[in-house]
Each structure stands twice: as structure tokens, then as C-alpha cells.
């Protein structure tokens, strides 16, 4: 059962559908998947009670609730031990209060023996703190999306201390930087890792690199000091996903940001530094790197590639680095980053008579100037991928933007 939001001239809220929803749930004892995209408030308690009493076969649950209902969410999970996949989105608390009272739920030490996938989005600080003490022996996938929020970051490290050793998939999307090296040490079995390429990641043991001849130098702010994402090679990661990067190629809103060029420069420098750290020495089994933002792909398509100058050279550097390492560089549609759809001209699907200065290359450039790159092929398939990407963005999907195969 999937209840999604729709627009109606009469308006309405989730509470208006509580009675008919409960009536339906009470007659679905075999229900295995239950998704509600609408934000639930007072209706959630009754819905959770009905699920507990009538839907013990439930395997997948997607709930969208205000953060002050975290105690009810905990009790709901406690009553549904067969859950395999849980997706929770917590809105900011409706009631203004310094703290959220968990009551008796604070002492609950849940055991969810079948839970394999957990996705948390929004204001999930209290939930993550409680979940750090639970028993989740089968947890394989954890995704965390903090949106644009910058304050009161949940204790992600504390959660991974308890549950990181079983994870195969880890997706961390937030603006404040996290300690990537510690995270990867806590998750030795990861095959897919996603993080924000905009993060400022300090060099390992920065104090050990202090120049004795220049004691005032600060290696933490020195762009020449190499950054490593690992304390030791991670021997299982095959796929890396990159959030952020919205300013890397000078397209979209980044093309019009001129009021704070220093901030843009610093973010772009972080992008370059972190991308260089995606090396074979740190990730010996790396197969692909994927930029995860559908909006970035849309901007690149609208601008027909990165802007000229440094932004275009950045794309070239990233492509060349992946090409030389035998790593596939992808956009969010799983296509090669740079092979954007073009309007077909002539039978071959590209314009043989015009130069293409924006990096989305013609046949002559492919053969003479950029021999290592593949020309755009199968344009209809690429158009379908881009159109699917647009639909995903328009529908504001609550799922992670991708899930690499294990």
C-alpha cells in the first residue's frame, strides 16, 4: 500500500483520512509494504497501533512524521519485528521545546533481527541516538540525509561505532563535514560509499607535517598537503557516490554566483582535493564514481556542458584521472559524465560541420584531439535516461537517488 500526496481543490490533511485508512489496514493482514508520503501528525499513533495488531507480516515501512513523535515511532518498530526495510523522515518539531521527551521509550533496547536497510532523513537526532544502542544484526544498508541543515548534526560516528561493522552500503548526505577516515575504519566491509565532495577534509596527522623551519604555517589550510580519505586501503569499496559538486562546473545557479567568489573557490578546491583522494592506493577495487545530483545533470544539459575555463578543465581532469585508473565516471543516470543527449543532425546523430567547444565532442575531436574518449552513442537511450532523471526530480522521490548493486 502506497499513499502519496495529491493536490485537491478541497485541501485536506492526513488526519482527514485516518478513519478510512484504519478501516483498510484492519482488513489487510498480509500487508508487507506500507508507504505514506504524506506527513503524519496525530494520525500516526492510531496507524501504528493498527499495524501492530493487524499487519504482523509488514516488511517495508516508510513513515513521515514530526520529530516529537519519535517515541511513537520507537514503539511502532518494537511491535513490528519482521521489518526488513525502514525509511523514516522526521520534520522539525511542531511544538516549540528545548528537548523532546521520549518517556518510557528511552529505556527500550530494540532488537530488530531482520532489519537490513535503514534510511533516516531530516531531524533524526533523537532517533539516531536511541538506535545506537539497539541490536541490528542484519543491517547492511544505512542512508542519512540531513538536507541543508547545518546545526545539531546527529551523532553519525556514534551510530557507526555500534553498527558499522556489518554495513555493505553507506550513504551520508549532509552539509557539515564528517570524519571520513574514521567512518571507513568503522565500516570495513563497505562495497558502496557515498559522501559530500564539498566537505573540507583535513589531511591525516596534520600536526606531523608541520614545517620546523616555518612554525607559523598551518598545514590544515595548505592546499599542497595531500588529503587521504582512508587510514589504510579499503579493500572492498567498488562504488563511490558523490553528493554536492553543484559549483564544480559553473552551471546552473553557480554560473550566476558572483557575490562571494572566495566561497565558491574554496568549495571548488575541496572538490578537487577530495576527488584526487579517490585513488587506487586508497580504494584498490574501485570500479565507478557517480555524481548523484539529478539537478546537476539538468544544469549540465541546459548549458550543454561545463562552463569554459577552469570549470571545463576540472571536468577534463576528473575524466582523465578516472580513465587512467580504469574507473567509470558517471552522472546520476548511470551514463558517462559528459555524454549528454544532443539533438541529432544527420543520420549519425551528431553535427559533422560544427566545432563543439563545450566538451561534448564531435567526430573529428573524438578521433584527433581526444582519442581516449568515446563519442556519444545511442542518443535515444540517453534521452530516456535524462527524461527519467527529470521525472525523479519532479516527483521529489524520498528514496536515495541511487542504489548501487552489491
Amino acid at each position: 500500500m502506497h499513499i502519496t500526496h495529491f493536490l485537491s481543490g478541497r485541501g485536506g490533511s492526513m488526519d482527514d483520512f485516518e478513519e478510512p485508512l484504519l478501516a483498510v489496514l484492519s482488513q489487510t493482514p498480509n500487508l508487507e509494504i506500507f508507504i505514506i508520503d504524506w506527513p503524519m501528525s496525530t494520525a500516526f499513533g492510531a496507524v501504528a497501533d493498527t499495524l501492530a495488531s493487524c499487519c504482523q507480516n509488514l516488511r517495508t515501512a516508510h513513515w513521515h512524521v514530526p520529530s516529537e513523535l519519535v517515541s511513537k515511532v520507537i514503539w511502532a518498530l518494537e511491535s513490528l519485528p519482521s521489518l526488513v526495510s525502514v525509511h523514516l523522515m522526521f520534520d522539525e518539531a511542531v511544538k516549540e521545546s528545548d528537548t523532546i521527551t521520549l518517556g518510557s521509550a528511552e529505556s527500550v533496547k530494540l532488537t530488530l533481527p531482520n532489519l537490513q536497510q535503514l534510511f533516516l532523513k531530516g531531524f533524526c537526532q533523537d532517533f539516531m541516538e536511541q538506535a545506537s544502542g539497539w541490536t541490528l544484526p542484519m543491517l547492511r544498508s544505512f542512508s542519512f540525509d540531513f538536507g541543508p541543515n547545518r546545526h545539531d548534526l546527529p551523532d553519525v560516528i556514534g551510530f557507526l561505532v555500534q553498527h558499522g561493522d556489518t554495513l555493505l552500503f553507506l550513504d551520508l548526505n549532509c552539509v557539515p563535514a564528517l570524519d571520513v577516515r574514521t567512518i571507513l575504519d568503522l565500516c570495513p566491509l563497505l562495497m558502496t560509499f557515498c559522501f559530500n565532495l564539498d566537505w573540507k577534509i583535513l589531511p591525516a596527522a596534520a600536526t606531523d607535517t608541520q614545517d620546523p623551519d616555518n612554525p607559523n604555517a598551518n598545514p590544515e589550510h595548505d592546499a599542497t598537503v595531500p588529503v587521504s580519505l582512508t587510514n589504510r586501503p579499503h579493500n572492498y569499496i567498488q562504488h563511490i557516490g558523490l553528493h554536492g559538486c553543484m559549483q564544480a562546473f559553473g552551471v546552473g545557479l553557480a554560473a550566476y554566483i558572483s557575490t562571494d567568489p572566495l566561497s565558491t573557490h574554496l568549495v571548488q578546491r575541496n572538490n578537487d582535493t577530495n576527488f584526487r583522494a579517490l585513488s587506487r592506493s586508497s580504494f584498490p577495487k574501485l570500479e565507478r564514481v557517480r555524481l548523484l545530483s539529478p539537478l546537476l545533470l539538468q544544469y549540465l544539459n541546459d548549458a550543454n556542458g561545463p562552463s569554459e575555463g577552469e570549470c571545463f578543465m576540472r571536468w577534463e581532469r576528473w575524466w582523465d584521472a578516472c580513465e587512467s585508473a580504469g574507473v567509470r565516471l558517471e552522472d546520476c543516470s548511470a551514463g558517462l559524465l559528459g555524454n549528454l543527449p544532443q539533438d541529432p543532425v544527420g543520420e549519425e546523430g551528431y553535427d559533422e560541420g560544427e566545432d563543439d567547444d563545450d566538451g561534448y565532442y564531435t567526430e573529428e575531436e573524438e578521433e584527433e584531439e581526444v582519442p581516449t574518449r568515446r563519442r556519444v552513442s545511442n542518443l535515444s537511450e540517453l534521452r530516456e535516461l535524462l527524461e527519467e532523471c527529470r521525472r525523479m526530480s519532479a516527483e521529489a522521490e524520498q528514496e536515495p537517488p541511487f542504489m548501487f548493486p552489491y
Side-chain angles (χ1 to χ4, degrees):
M1 182 186 300
H2 186 171
I3 301 175
T4 189
H5 189 276
F6 63 91
L7 298 178
S8 170
R10 294 178 298 173
S13 67
M14 190 64 217
D15 294 341
D16 298 326
F17 295 89
E18 180 176 344
E19 273 193 45
L21 176 59
L22 297 180
V24 171
L25 289 177
S26 65
Q27 302 178 58
T28 55
N30 297 319
L31 187 67
E32 293 189 0
I33 300 174
F34 182 54
I35 301 172
I36 295 186
D37 291 336
W38 271 11
M40 291 185 285
S41 54
T42 57
F44 179 74
V47 169
D49 291 341
T50 304
L51 290 173
S53 60
C54 303
C55 305
Q56 282 294 301
N57 291 324
L58 196 66
R59 301 291 188 270
T60 299
H62 288 210
W63 299 329
H64 184 170
V65 299
S67 55
E68 66 260 28
L69 295 185
V70 62
S71 61
K72 293 183 180 294
V73 172
I74 293 174
W75 286 118
L77 296 178
E78 196 271 342
S79 65
L80 297 167
S82 298
L83 286 170
V84 173
S85 176
V86 173
H87 179 127
L88 300 173
M89 181 174 178
F90 291 95
D91 289 332
E92 191 171 9
V94 176
K95 301 176 182 178
E96 295 184 2
S97 176
D98 294 335
T99 59
I100 294 177
T101 303
L102 295 178
S104 58
E106 188 171 4
S107 61
V108 173
K109 302 299 181 184
L110 283 187
T111 296
L112 297 175
N114 300 301
L115 187 66
Q116 297 182 28
Q117 183 181 45
L118 178 62
F119 181 99
L120 301 178
K121 184 173 183 179
F123 296 85
C124 55
Q125 296 91 331
D126 293 275
F127 182 90
M128 192 178 295
E129 180 179 349
Q130 294 300 309
S132 296
W134 297 348
T135 301
L136 310 174
M138 293 296 293
L139 190 64
R140 299 293 182 266
S141 172
F142 176 61
S143 300
F144 166 64
D145 185 349
F146 203 45
N149 306 302
R150 296 174 179 268
H151 305 290
D152 299 324
L153 183 72
D155 185 8
V156 177
I157 299 291
F159 180 87
L160 295 177
V161 166
Q162 298 299 321
H163 305 298
D165 58 346
T166 64
L167 293 178
L168 303 179
F169 178 96
L170 179 61
D171 183 355
L172 303 174
N173 185 13
C174 57
V175 175
L178 297 172
D179 185 348
V180 173
R181 287 185 292 273
T182 296
I183 288 171
L184 294 182
D185 281 346
L186 293 171
C187 307
L189 301 181
L190 281 184
M191 300 180 71
T192 297
F193 176 55
C194 310
F195 72 105
N196 192 333
L197 202 69
D198 295 346
W199 287 347
K200 172 65 176 178
I201 299 176
L202 301 179
T207 55
D208 296 338
T209 63
Q210 185 74 47
D211 185 355
D213 297 327
N214 185 12
N216 294 323
N218 187 352
E220 294 185 0
H221 301 286
D222 186 353
T224 64
V225 176
V227 165
S228 175
L229 298 179
T230 60
N231 290 321
R232 58 192 60 83
H234 199 295
N235 294 319
Y236 291 96
I237 288 180
Q238 300 175 19
H239 314 294
I240 290 181
L242 303 176
H243 296 288
C245 306
M246 296 303 295
Q247 301 185 53
F249 303 114
V251 293
L253 295 178
Y256 305 101
I257 297 176
S258 58
T259 57
D260 192 4
L262 176 60
S263 176
T264 299
H265 170 72
L266 292 176
V267 172
Q268 290 176 342
R269 189 175 73 174
N270 291 344
N271 293 159
D272 286 328
T273 302
N274 295 337
F275 200 92
R276 283 195 300 270
L278 304 177
S279 62
R280 283 287 185 188
S281 60
S282 294
F283 306 101
K285 291 191 176 181
L286 186 61
E287 295 179 358
R288 68 187 67 191
V289 174
R290 182 178 295 180
L291 275 65
L292 301 177
S293 172
L295 188 58
L296 177 60
L297 178 59
Q298 179 66 61
Y299 287 159
L300 285 169
N301 181 64
D302 293 342
N304 202 24
S307 64
E308 296 181 358
E310 176 60 24
C311 292
F312 177 74
M313 290 189 290
R314 175 171 298 107
W315 170 75
E316 284 193 314
R317 288 196 303 270
W318 291 9
W319 179 282
D320 291 340
C322 289
E323 185 82 8
S324 62
V327 175
R328 179 180 171 90
L329 180 61
E330 299 180 345
D331 58 41
C332 66
S333 71
L336 292 173
L337 182 66
N339 283 8
L340 298 182
Q342 300 176 355
D343 293 329
V345 180
E347 296 181 356
E348 296 299 322
Y350 53 80
D351 189 346
E352 300 179 3
E354 291 186 11
D355 275 343
D356 190 358
D357 296 328
D358 50 24
Y360 298 75
Y361 18 86
T362 64
E363 184 178 22
E364 291 184 357
E365 290 174 327
E366 175 70 25
E367 294 178 352
E368 298 177 8
E369 297 182 15
V370 201
T372 63
R373 294 174 188 160
R374 307 170 181 83
R375 78 181 171 200
V376 177
S377 61
N378 201 346
L379 296 180
S380 61
E381 180 180 353
L382 288 172
R383 286 196 187 89
E384 291 175 4
L385 288 171
L386 184 60
E387 187 59 34
E388 177 66 20
C389 175
R390 287 170 175 162
R391 285 197 295 268
M392 290 171 59
S393 179
E395 294 172 1
E397 290 285 339
Q398 297 299 322
E399 289 288 342
F402 79 107
M403 177 68 81
F404 282 134
Y406 295 145

